[in-house]
Amino acid sequence: MTDTQTWTADQPIVRITDVHKSFGAVEVLKGVSLDVMKGDVICIIGPSGSGKSTLLRCINALVPINKGSIRVEGQEVHDPKLNKLELRKKVGMVFQQYNLFPHKTALQNVMMAPVTVLKQNKTEVEARAYALLKKVRLEGKEPSYPGELSGGQQQRVAIARSLAMNPDVMLFDEVTAALDPETVKEVLVTIRELAEEGMTCLLVTHEMGFARELADHMYFTDRGVIVEHGPPEDFFANPKDPRTKEFLGQIL
Amino acid sequence: MEGFFAWFQWLYDETGINLTYFYDSFDRARMIGGFFTTIWLSLVCLFFSSIIGIVGAWLQGSRLVWTRRIVQGYIQFFRNTPPLVQMYFFFFALGNLLPRVKSEFGFMEPMLGNFTWAAISLSFFAGAFNVEIFRSGIEAVPESTREAAESLGYNRLQSYLYVVLPLAFRVCLPALNNNLVNLVKTTTLAYAIAVPELLYVSNQIWSDSVNVPEMMTTLLILYVALVGLLVWAMHRWERAIRVPGYGT
């Protein structure tokens, strides 16, 4: 019953239905539902501890869920029989702390997964990795190790590394939260370009200006539930829920 | 060469310092044989104890509780018993349980010889410590790095081989160095089961020629050189895999 229905592009590419998740006695997601259409940019905001990061991590099955359903391209993510690799090819993730492989150069970081996991041809992957690093404006940084790069540069390598797997959906988990203010912009520019090319993006972010400008849809979460959502114009101009008002009031 | 050897004969005649392995070809052959036995035994044990360490540390991360318990039991057993007792146990207890086979001279003899048993027992002995050493390195690799690998589609083994282990190596190399240095020195225990390594052949030589102080001094110098070489090689390796901005 949880098997794949044939998925077509007019259906949500990510469909989250009534997801519950607990860590021990603490319930961090209390019935979250949201749909993402192909090419959409979704921004999720909310106070810390509201479960936004956990929600992203559930989408690519880094953490299991207790109840509910998450489908990516019609495929149930938390089906125990699911080949995780198939899911990870579809869904790329970028982390707050970049999490690059420190013993590999920028180029090798981008190349590693396609070569070792997907067993793709090394010369082809290398050409693609050069192109991806160029795309994130890191031409010339290919032989540098993560330790030699700034935070913003590392984060762009991390984005290129995810893109090398040719994902259909990208998850960004507070990707600018650990960056210096002056390097935040270079990462946001990269994400904007991706979004403009039609990549489906789910962002957990605190960059309200960026969210307002780029998002097709805003979600505000608090204490494990989606309190309010809507197109950014409405969402920022006249938030309805008092909690959203308060949060936006503090942040803007 | 002959002049070089003759000089030691002269040295003995003049001063009484008796380095038989220079001027006596029989002792020389014994000494060279002992030297290479020690090196070979060390290399075999270095290799297998490292493999045991890598595999053991991987199994320690297993989801199956019994796998973890067995690894833990192995570590406890080999860490809490003297290596000499272990070697005797392997050679005399386990060795006798194995079926006997006909040797090339037609005698019945144990399947595994003393060199093999020494290699096995020392590898397991040093391997137990290596498991713990690699585990400490693995624990130093942040969970988030592993998660990044997982999100890129790596399975558990791929993530261990390509991400966790290379990083763990860099963290635990100093501790690994120490244990491997100890291992090379512990190969002298094979003396106890008559493996003709350096200590054993030295003993044979001094029993024949009564040149105990000379042979003891020789042994010490040789081990200083051997271990020095190992440490030098490990430090070179440590430098070679050092990564800018990581682990320093």
Side-chain angles (χ1 to χ4, degrees):
Chain A
M1 62 182 190
T2 54
D3 257 3
T4 336
Q5 308 134 350
T6 37
W7 176 78
T8 51
D10 57 337
Q11 292 167 337
I13 190 164
V14 178
R15 162 155 264 181
I16 300 172
T17 319
D18 192 33
V19 164
H20 291 253
K21 169 67 192 170
S22 304
F23 290 112
V26 187
E27 193 172 32
V28 287
L29 296 177
K30 303 168 185 166
V32 172
S33 302
L34 69 92
D35 285 348
V36 185
M37 299 303 291
K38 189 167 171 51
D40 271 0
V41 176
I42 298 295
C43 286
I44 304 168
I45 61 170
S48 51
S50 62
K52 2 180 243 307
S53 288
T54 306
L55 182 63
L56 281 198
R57 293 148 67 82
C58 288
I59 296 175
N60 76 343
L62 277 181
V63 290
I65 59 175
N66 299 107
K67 203 176 137 220
S69 149
I70 298 177
R71 284 171 183 272
V72 174
E73 295 183 1
Q75 173 77 59
E76 175 58 54
V77 167
H78 292 272
D79 180 354
K81 290 195 296 285
L82 171 76
N83 178 359
K84 289 257 174 77
L85 179 56
E86 288 307 310
L87 170 69
R88 266 112 200 209
K89 281 198 284 192
K90 290 180 199 155
V91 183
M93 183 154 187
V94 185
F95 301 85
Q96 183 177 349
Q97 295 292 345
Y98 343 126
N99 299 350
L100 291 178
F101 305 134
H103 60 305
K104 297 286 178 183
T105 63
L107 185 71
Q108 289 168 332
N109 262 282
V110 178
M111 287 176 63
M112 257 174 93
V115 172
T116 57
V117 178
L118 302 181
K119 318 277 183 227
Q120 289 173 351
N121 179 294
K122 206 170 172 179
T123 29
E124 284 167 29
V125 175
E126 187 170 347
R128 213 166 74 225
Y130 272 104
L132 281 168
L133 285 172
K134 190 176 173 192
K135 182 187 165 87
V136 298
R137 294 187 183 79
L138 286 174
E139 217 175 357
K141 293 290 181 191
E142 293 89 358
S144 305
Y145 284 92
E148 300 169 319
L149 298 173
S150 75
Q153 291 171 331
Q154 288 190 58
Q155 194 58 291
R156 284 180 285 153
V157 175
I159 293 173
R161 179 177 70 169
S162 271
L163 292 176
M165 296 290 279
N166 274 326
D168 298 332
V169 179
M170 286 286 283
L171 309 175
F172 295 91
D173 186 7
E174 302 196 31
V175 290
T176 56
L179 296 178
D180 298 329
E182 63 265 35
T183 56
V184 166
K185 206 173 151 225
E186 60 193 43
V187 173
L188 294 184
V189 166
T190 304
I191 298 175
R192 174 184 300 138
E193 282 174 358
L194 266 182
E196 281 163 0
E197 284 167 20
M199 175 66 77
T200 311
C201 298
L202 277 82
L203 294 101
V204 166
T205 185
H206 293 297
E207 299 290 331
M208 291 305 148
F210 181 69
R212 193 201 309 241
E213 179 193 341
L214 199 67
D216 295 303
H217 214 80
M218 295 293 306
Y219 284 85
F220 174 70
T221 59
D222 189 22
R223 284 169 240 162
V225 291
I226 292 172
V227 176
E228 185 166 353
H229 66 97
E233 311 81 59
D234 283 0
F235 181 87
F236 285 105
N238 19 324
K240 286 164 198 76
D241 193 278
R243 275 188 282 175
T244 321
K245 279 183 193 155
E246 194 196 332
F247 181 76
L248 290 176
Q250 283 166 353
I251 251 182
L252 293 176
Chain B
M1 212 56 186
E2 278 311 308
F4 176 75
F5 295 147
W7 186 83
F8 286 95
Q9 180 70 58
W10 171 86
L11 181 76
Y12 175 43
D13 295 340
E14 289 297 309
T15 65
I17 296 173
N18 191 6
L19 299 172
T20 56
Y21 51 85
F22 278 118
Y23 62 80
D24 182 289
S25 63
F26 182 67
D27 279 3
R28 189 159 62 231
R30 285 206 281 204
M31 202 63 190
I32 290 170
F35 184 70
F36 283 110
T37 305
T38 288
I39 288 188
W40 182 231
L41 183 60
S42 299
L43 288 178
V44 169
C45 294
L46 288 177
F47 178 75
F48 283 105
S49 69
S50 301
I51 297 289
I52 290 171
I54 290 169
V55 174
W58 153 259
L59 291 175
Q60 256 189 343
S62 164
R63 264 162 269 175
L64 304 170
V65 63
W66 275 104
T67 311
R68 295 200 302 271
R69 279 185 194 161
I70 289 167
V71 177
Q72 205 48 41
Y74 156 69
I75 293 169
Q76 290 300 324
F77 180 82
F78 278 91
R79 210 167 46 172
N80 301 5
T81 51
L84 180 59
V85 176
Q86 289 165 14
M87 198 175 289
Y88 278 161
F89 170 76
F90 273 101
F91 185 64
F92 294 113
L94 288 186
N96 275 334
L97 294 176
L98 291 180
R100 284 167 182 271
V101 289
K102 199 168 233 158
S103 76
E104 50 184 320
F105 306 111
F107 298 117
M108 295 305 283
E109 59 176 29
M111 231 167 90
L112 298 180
N114 52 359
F115 181 89
T116 311
W117 279 120
I120 291 174
S121 77
L122 289 171
S123 297
F124 275 113
F125 168 66
F129 289 89
N130 283 350
V131 174
E132 290 289 271
I133 288 168
F134 281 119
R135 187 178 61 99
S136 70
I138 287 166
E139 279 172 4
V141 178
E143 181 60 34
S144 55
T145 307
R146 246 170 287 191
E147 252 176 13
E150 202 187 334
S151 76
L152 286 165
Y154 289 71
N155 63 29
R156 227 170 74 80
L157 184 61
Q158 287 167 333
S159 149
Y160 185 67
L161 291 180
Y162 295 107
V163 178
V164 176
L165 204 55
L167 292 173
F169 251 118
R170 289 169 169 84
V171 175
C172 68
L173 259 181
L176 188 65
N177 274 348
N178 269 339
N179 192 37
L180 297 186
V181 163
N182 265 330
L183 173 61
V184 170
K185 294 186 290 184
T186 313
T187 56
T188 48
L189 285 185
Y191 168 92
I193 56 173
V195 174
E197 45 70 67
L198 268 175
L199 178 59
Y200 189 84
V201 295
S202 301
N203 183 342
Q204 285 183 321
I205 292 171
W206 80 55
S207 301
D208 292 347
S209 310
V210 205
N211 55 348
V212 180
E214 290 92 328
M215 292 313 296
M216 286 295 181
T217 311
T218 305
L219 269 180
L220 287 183
I221 291 170
L222 280 176
Y223 275 103
V224 166
L226 263 183
V227 172
L229 187 70
L230 174 69
V231 169
W232 174 79
M234 293 293 277
H235 280 173
R236 264 194 70 125
W237 188 34
E238 217 171 301
R239 270 202 308 278
I241 64 171
R242 182 170 295 160
V243 160
Y246 182 76
T248 42

